[in-house]
Amino acid sequence: MSEEKKTNEQCSCCCGRTKERSEKEYKDLIMRLNRIEGQIRGLKKMVENNAYCPDILIQSAAAGSALNSFNRVLMANHIRTCVKEDIQNGNDDTIDELLDVLKRLMK
């Protein structure tokens, strides 16, 4: 595992909790993000090269779809691990947290 993954440092946008991911989950998420990052760079290049608007919009929709797919995978992993464990340990606040996250995702 990379050193970045092993650290428990918090970013300023996080709630302060961390999660150790399996090597497989970590690699899958990073691979998806790398693909999305490439799509975004491609969009920027299209704008810089004065590409035709519908072509940019189609690529933007593809990037949005990839990001939605990333969110679905991450959410499923979160529910199967963190949420399940918290509920089994009697921490029902996790349900409210999950509902809040879903509300934010569905804006």
Side-chain angles (χ1 to χ4, degrees):
M1 289 183 203
S2 71
E3 282 302 311
E4 288 178 11
K5 181 176 178 253
K6 290 182 180 179
T7 65
N8 283 330
E9 293 180 23
Q10 300 169 25
C11 66
S12 60
C13 62
C14 295
C15 66
R17 296 175 69 179
T18 60
K19 178 190 186 326
E20 277 294 317
R21 292 177 173 79
S22 70
E23 188 73 19
K24 181 181 182 305
E25 179 184 0
Y26 174 79
K27 284 182 178 182
D28 177 59
L29 293 173
I30 293 299
M31 182 181 68
R32 288 172 181 273
L33 288 172
N34 287 338
R35 218 174 307 144
I36 293 165
E37 184 179 28
Q39 288 176 304
I40 300 302
R41 279 194 308 271
L43 280 167
K44 182 179 177 191
K45 190 158 189 93
M46 290 176 81
V47 171
E48 291 170 345
N49 292 331
N50 298 317
Y52 189 54
C53 298
D55 294 338
I56 297 171
L57 289 166
I58 289 168
Q59 290 304 312
S60 177
S65 179
L67 193 53
N68 285 337
S69 179
F70 172 85
N71 287 340
R72 281 191 302 274
V73 168
L74 186 60
M75 179 62 73
N77 290 341
H78 177 61
I79 291 169
R80 286 186 185 110
T81 58
C82 303
V83 173
K84 178 182 173 185
E85 185 178 307
D86 281 354
I87 290 171
Q88 288 173 339
N89 292 331
N91 183 0
D92 290 338
D93 291 341
T94 297
I95 296 170
D96 292 331
E97 178 188 63
L98 178 60
L99 292 172
D100 184 52
V101 169
L102 289 170
K103 183 173 82 176
R104 291 175 185 218
L105 288 174
M106 294 180 173
K107 280 186 175 180

